[in-house]
Amino acid sequence: MEKKKVAEKRGKPEWMEKTGDFLQEAWQWIYKLRSILLAVPVVAVAIKLAFQNMARLPEFVGINLQASGEYAMMIERNVAVFVPLLVTAVCLLTMFLSKKVLYPWLVSLFSLVLPLLLWITNVFPG
């Protein structure tokens, strides 16, 4: 009853006050769970790219394509698949441990480019 009087003094109906309280509570939960909500799509895409690269990449993957058309170093397919996945995992771990969630999350998004670059440089060299 007391809240109704306060709402009436402000000139807002009671249902508007309840809706505002609900939205504020929902926003607080979203803010508290923001790191999990941001990490889920990144993890899903990283795992999907890892599975695709495991199937598409050759047994040995070349990195650092030279002007002569040869690779500076050859690594195994497992290393080429799991190192970008590890980089993404470290970025997400940093995100969970940091108060600034958005910066490590953006770095983890850019780390998703690594598997694509490995695939492109090994399928379409030069």
Side-chain angles (χ1 to χ4, degrees):
M1 191 66 163
E2 196 173 303
K3 193 165 187 159
K4 187 175 184 179
K5 289 179 183 177
V6 171
E8 287 174 0
K9 285 183 182 178
R10 289 189 206 165
K12 294 181 183 177
E14 185 179 354
W15 67 270
M16 273 181 107
E17 288 288 326
K18 288 182 181 180
T19 305
D21 292 344
F22 171 75
L23 291 175
Q24 184 177 8
E25 188 72 26
W27 179 250
Q28 286 176 351
W29 275 101
I30 289 172
Y31 185 77
K32 288 178 186 176
L33 298 173
R34 70 189 184 276
S35 57
I36 295 171
L37 294 173
L38 289 172
V40 167
V42 173
V43 169
V45 170
I47 290 172
K48 181 181 177 187
L49 287 173
F51 277 119
Q52 285 179 350
N53 272 356
M54 188 63 88
R56 293 189 297 196
L57 289 176
E59 181 86 22
F60 287 97
V61 177
I63 57 173
N64 198 4
L65 186 62
Q66 303 293 317
S68 63
E70 295 181 7
Y71 294 105
M73 185 189 317
M74 298 295 281
I75 58 174
E76 289 184 27
R77 174 181 26 201
N78 290 338
V79 174
V81 169
F82 290 116
V83 168
L85 197 60
L86 182 67
V87 169
T88 304
V90 168
C91 291
L92 291 176
L93 179 68
T94 306
M95 181 183 76
F96 282 116
L97 297 176
S98 174
K99 289 187 178 193
K100 303 271 184 186
V101 172
L102 201 56
Y103 302 129
W105 180 73
L106 287 173
V107 173
S108 70
L109 283 181
F110 285 117
S111 72
L112 293 176
V113 175
L114 293 173
L116 295 174
L117 289 177
L118 279 171
W119 177 68
I120 289 171
T121 59
N122 279 276
V123 173
F124 309 109

